[in-house]
Amino acid sequence: MAVMLSSLLLLTSVQLAMGALLRYEDYRRSSMAVSASAEATDGFSHVDGGYDRACRGADSNDNSASYYTSHSNVPSLHQCKSLCRQDLSCSGIEYKTSSQKCEVWTRAVEASAAATGFMCYSFDRHDFEQPMENQACRGADAGDNLESYYTKYWNIAALSDCKSKCREMAGCTAIEYTEENQRCEVWTRVVEATKSYSGYDCIRYRPYDDYCSHFLSFAAFQNSTSCLQIDGCRWIFVENCPDCESMFGPESELTGCRSWAPAEFCEEKLYNPAAAKNRDDVSVIYEPITHYKIEQRYGITGDPKPIQARCSHWCDKSAPHECKGQVRALNAIRGTNYGGRFIPESFMGIDGYRGDEFNGGKDEGYLYDQTPY
């Protein structure tokens, strides 16, 4: 009888484990899709898998020093990406953690070569929307076309040259271009309308840092619902934090309708500047940073429900114990690493930690948030 009971318990345990693994496989597949969308969000894409690959030009042997600028003592991949974003001509990066060497490429990365320890990414700034073909740019309506809205350039042979004019002009919001006449208009007024015009294309510009902030001057866009109707815009707000302005800066400069990628906002706009001011004790940042919340759309046509997230931080337990800001999904699925696989806590029959108890990687156990960014 005892043997039969033991066998029954063993069979039940195996069945439960198999069921958990099957449910985990479904979860893992969905997580892989989320990871791919996160990569697309920040503009960086792996070249030939990305890892153990060095960047090259036209083919695996094309590695002219004129293609890139080399930076030494760059402590993290995130900072290498930041150097790329600061260079308007950046087309990709190559990074090696052990040597802390970062190459910012300005020639298109079309190939790679096998190289242990190197990572290669191409970069698309995604700073221009899809062209509105056969449409001329306009202001408030189709008849609003004051010359004060734009600067006109002639003999612009390529669309890419017109885009460069826009990137170089402070406050650019859009371009209007006609290849036939080699005519380029660089707009500094927000384009709210277009007018049908054969051979002309109107293309809105949305730089990484401030495209969506142009809409903050319009009362109609000073709320989450309207902001999230604009492609690429997120709504950022802070809740119940009297110390946040002294820690991170004026609320008006960090909230509202913004283009900032959530991960870069949490790290570069909040955590890094605050850490520089509080080098002796960065732990004072850990609680205030969680009061900043971000909303954005899923990116699925017709789905009105926004994703919600908050800023947080994470510290690496291994040397050099680097800490950084990061974004976490609200109501994230938490779990543990078991045999190299993420097992959600609901499959394990454990409660896990509440969000306010997780302190950025300093817990004795390992706890992971699966975040859609």
Side-chain angles (χ1 to χ4, degrees), residues 12-24:
T12 302
S13 298
V14 169
Q15 289 174 332
L16 287 171
M18 289 299 295
L21 286 174
L22 287 172
R23 292 193 296 273
Y24 165 73

Side-chain angles (χ1 to χ4, degrees), residues 128 162-170 172-175 186 205:
F128 284 92
C162 188
K163 288 182 176 181
S164 295
K165 292 288 187 185
C166 174
R167 291 188 181 109
E168 293 166 2
M169 181 175 293
C172 177
T173 60
I175 59 172
V186 176
Y205 178 54

Side-chain angles (χ1 to χ4, degrees), residues 211-281:
Y211 168 77
C212 297
S213 66
H214 288 299
F215 291 89
L216 289 173
S217 59
F218 295 85
F221 291 100
Q222 293 178 9
N223 61 78
S224 171
T225 302
S226 298
C227 173
L228 297 184
Q229 293 176 4
I230 308 167
D231 288 341
C233 293
R234 289 105 179 174
W235 184 254
I236 297 175
F237 58 101
V238 61
E239 291 182 326
N240 304 320
C241 185
D243 298 327
C244 278
E245 287 210 355
S246 60
M247 178 72 68
F248 303 109
E251 182 178 333
S252 61
E253 296 179 7
L254 294 169
T255 59
C257 194
R258 303 288 181 175
S259 306
W260 302 323
E264 303 306 326
F265 167 69
C266 295
E267 181 174 8
E268 297 186 4
K269 298 293 183 184
L270 297 182
Y271 187 87
N272 287 351
K277 292 191 300 184
N278 298 276
R279 294 182 187 277
D280 294 337
D281 183 14

Side-chain angles (χ1 to χ4, degrees), residues 130-148:
Q130 291 298 312
M132 293 178 277
E133 297 180 348
N134 296 313
Q135 297 290 319
C137 297
R138 292 295 184 265
D141 54 53
D144 187 17
N145 189 36
L146 297 178
E147 290 190 0
S148 60

